[in-house]
């Protein structure tokens, strides 16, 4: 019984040290829209040595020659698997699902489903800071630019650099 209580205390102590905050900025190439910047913020927790669970917010401008001028703001729940690396370098892969909210007078849709797949490399800067380089593919479903117009999906390739602060 004493061993179980010790393990519980150690687990809680480890969880208390596993809180993370991310900030990133990068470039995006959404299908049929002009390329532009994407930025994001996230909070999460390191579930164990291999898995990270995070709630992430990102913002992407949607501008096209067809007079579309709007913004897609996504909130996703992402699960990341960190692969075995060497030294202070650790590659990772992950997936996420969530909702996107659209704003702008030229986008009729107000919200929709978003999914993403990503891969990258984390470079340990200090015990509490990692530099993240990420390539991400995001798919936004059922976007309708005009009322009664056709619905389409927007696919966006994104590359970003960010910092993860570990508490």
């Amino acid at each position: 019984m004493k061993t179980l209580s010790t393990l519980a205390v150690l687990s809680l102590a480890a969880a208390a040290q596993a809180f993370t905050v991310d900030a990133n900025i990068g470039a995006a190439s959404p299908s049929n829209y002009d390329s532009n910047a994407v930025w994001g913020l996230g909070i999460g927790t390191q579930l164990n040595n291999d898995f990270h669970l995070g709630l992430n917010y990102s913002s992407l401008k949607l501008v096209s020659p067809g007079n579309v001028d709007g913004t897609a703001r996504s909130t996703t729940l992402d699960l990341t698997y960190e692969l075995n690396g060497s030294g202070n370098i650790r590659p990772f892969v992950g997936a996420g699902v969530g909702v996107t909210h659209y704003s702008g007078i030229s986008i009729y849709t107000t919200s929709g489903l978003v999914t993403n797949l990503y891969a990258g490399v984390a470079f340990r800067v200090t015990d509490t800071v990692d530099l993240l380089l990420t390539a991400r593919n995001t798919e936004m479903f059922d976007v309708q630019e005009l009322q009664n117009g056709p619905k389409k999906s927007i696919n966006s390739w994104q590359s970003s650099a960010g910092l993860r602060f570990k508490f």
Side-chain angles (χ1 to χ4, degrees):
M1 192 65 150
K2 196 173 202 178
T3 304
L4 287 177
S5 62
T6 304
L7 287 175
V9 170
L10 289 175
S11 296
L12 290 174
Q17 299 296 318
F19 178 70
T20 62
V21 174
D22 300 351
N24 62 68
I25 189 163
S29 298
S31 57
N32 301 316
Y33 295 91
D34 295 339
S35 296
N36 58 51
V38 62
W39 62 270
L41 298 171
I43 59 171
T45 185
Q46 196 71 37
L47 300 175
N48 58 34
N49 286 337
D50 297 327
F51 288 97
H52 180 270
L53 184 65
L55 184 63
N56 296 293
Y57 172 86
S58 64
S59 181
L60 170 66
K61 195 85 165 126
L62 297 174
V63 178
S64 77
N67 296 326
V68 172
D69 187 4
T71 302
R73 293 181 179 92
S74 300
T75 304
T76 59
L77 184 64
D78 294 350
L79 182 64
T80 305
Y81 177 67
E82 298 177 356
L83 306 163
N84 291 329
S86 60
N88 292 333
I89 301 172
R90 194 157 185 188
F92 59 86
V93 296
V97 63
V99 64
T100 297
H101 294 281
Y102 302 95
S103 61
I105 58 171
S106 56
I107 296 183
Y108 180 73
T109 301
T110 57
S111 62
L113 177 69
V114 63
T115 61
N116 60 59
L117 298 172
Y118 53 92
V121 178
F123 299 93
R124 185 175 180 184
V125 178
T126 69
D127 287 342
T128 58
V129 178
D130 289 346
L131 170 66
L132 307 172
L133 300 178
T134 308
R136 179 180 306 266
N137 182 264
T138 299
E139 188 83 22
M140 295 171 269
F141 297 93
D142 294 331
V143 180
Q144 195 174 18
E145 292 173 350
L146 303 171
Q147 185 175 7
N148 302 320
K151 291 184 177 181
K152 65 179 183 176
S153 292
I154 299 173
N155 183 283
S156 178
W157 283 97
Q158 303 167 1
S159 58
S160 64
L163 292 175
R164 172 169 289 160
F165 301 94
K166 300 178 272 187
F167 301 95

